[in-house]
Amino acid sequence: MQNELVENLEEKTILLVDDDPFSVSSVNRVLKTLGMSNVEKAENGQLALEILERRNVDVLLTDIQMPTMNGLELIRQIRCGHSLAPQGLPVVIFTAFSTDQTLRSALELDVNGFLSKPVKPLHGIQKIIQALIEKEQRLRAVDDYALVNTDLEELLSGLSSDEIGKNTSVKADEQQVELYRLKPNMRLTRNVIHQNGGLLLSAGFLLQ
């Protein structure tokens, strides 16, 4: 099935939702390297819903932070059946902004994958194929999705001042690491911490 999806990727229609022109251009280039040229674009969730009223899409790629309607609310609208798109539309979130609270909401909305900006071609194709394979996933009751908190201001308001500080800056004595430099069989000598302050991997972890 996966081989068939790879062969037919160029036939799939992608809805790319982000208000950052540079990010849109970057992700669009990645999609083109995969042979995917049927790409619809929207600057926010509301415009994305309007596109879904007139166009069938196979995969939704969306950022989280956007004006008018954020990515989480867009997904909730789809999962609750408030759009013409299938409720189980495969969704991949790509973003440079994430907290435990936003990730929890995304998981409660049954997203199919996450990508960090900038999107790498290999990771992009893996997540898109995974999302397509999971197209027939079993959804939960609409009421469950309706209860998911998608208000970014409210989600962030629960953070302490220390946590908010971690989300906006990196301590001067912390060494920044590009994830692509991490290789299999490396053992970490220190914690790997995301720029938002969240712990990604603990010291002593053996990479697979």
Side-chain angles (χ1 to χ4, degrees):
M1 180 179 182
Q2 183 166 330
N3 290 336
E4 293 178 359
L5 288 172
V6 171
E7 293 174 358
N8 297 325
L9 274 179
E10 68 278 359
E11 300 176 6
K12 304 301 181 183
T13 299
I14 305 295
L15 176 53
L16 175 59
V17 190
D18 195 346
D19 64 323
D20 180 3
F22 176 80
S23 178
V24 170
S25 176
S26 176
V27 175
N28 198 42
R29 284 196 298 271
V30 171
L31 294 174
K32 285 185 177 180
T33 64
L34 306 180
M36 307 179 78
S37 58
N38 298 324
V39 181
E40 293 281 345
K41 304 181 185 69
E43 296 179 359
N44 58 63
Q46 184 59 51
L47 293 176
L49 289 177
E50 293 175 8
I51 290 175
L52 291 172
E53 289 181 357
R54 63 176 187 272
R55 183 75 187 270
N56 293 325
V57 303
D58 297 291
V59 179
L60 169 66
L61 300 182
T62 182
D63 189 17
I64 292 179
Q65 266 192 317
M66 294 177 293
T68 309
M69 181 185 290
N70 67 58
L72 294 176
E73 179 59 22
L74 167 62
I75 300 168
R76 185 170 71 165
Q77 291 290 318
I78 293 171
R79 294 291 187 251
C80 288
H82 298 159
S83 77
L84 294 182
Q87 288 179 254
L89 178 69
V91 177
V92 176
I93 288 178
F94 68 101
T95 185
F97 167 84
S98 62
T99 66
D100 290 345
Q101 289 79 4
T102 57
L103 291 177
R104 185 180 300 111
S105 290
L107 291 173
E108 290 175 349
L109 290 168
D110 290 329
V111 301
N112 302 84
F114 298 88
L115 287 169
S116 297
K117 295 180 180 179
V119 177
K120 306 297 183 183
L122 179 58
H123 291 163
I125 190 170
Q126 289 174 336
K127 294 300 182 181
I128 291 172
I129 290 176
Q130 176 185 337
L132 289 168
I133 290 175
E134 295 175 352
K135 187 173 183 179
E136 301 302 326
Q137 66 175 321
R138 178 176 295 179
L139 297 177
R140 290 178 287 121
V142 169
D143 288 345
D144 291 340
Y145 296 121
L147 293 174
V148 177
N149 189 355
T150 63
D151 187 327
L152 292 184
E153 290 188 8
E154 184 176 330
L155 290 171
L156 294 178
S157 67
L159 297 178
S160 67
S161 58
D162 288 341
E163 289 173 317
I164 292 174
K166 288 179 180 179
N167 278 290
T168 57
S169 64
V170 177
K171 295 179 181 178
D173 60 351
E174 289 180 350
Q175 181 179 359
Q176 298 189 45
V177 178
E178 298 289 346
L179 289 181
Y180 73 87
R181 296 183 184 278
L182 302 179
K183 305 296 182 182
N185 299 318
M186 283 185 174
R187 188 177 296 278
L188 302 179
T189 59
R190 65 181 65 184
N191 291 339
V192 177
I193 300 174
H194 192 273
Q195 63 184 2
N196 68 14
L199 178 66
L200 294 178
L201 298 171
S202 300
F205 184 87
L206 181 64
L207 300 179
Q208 300 300 317

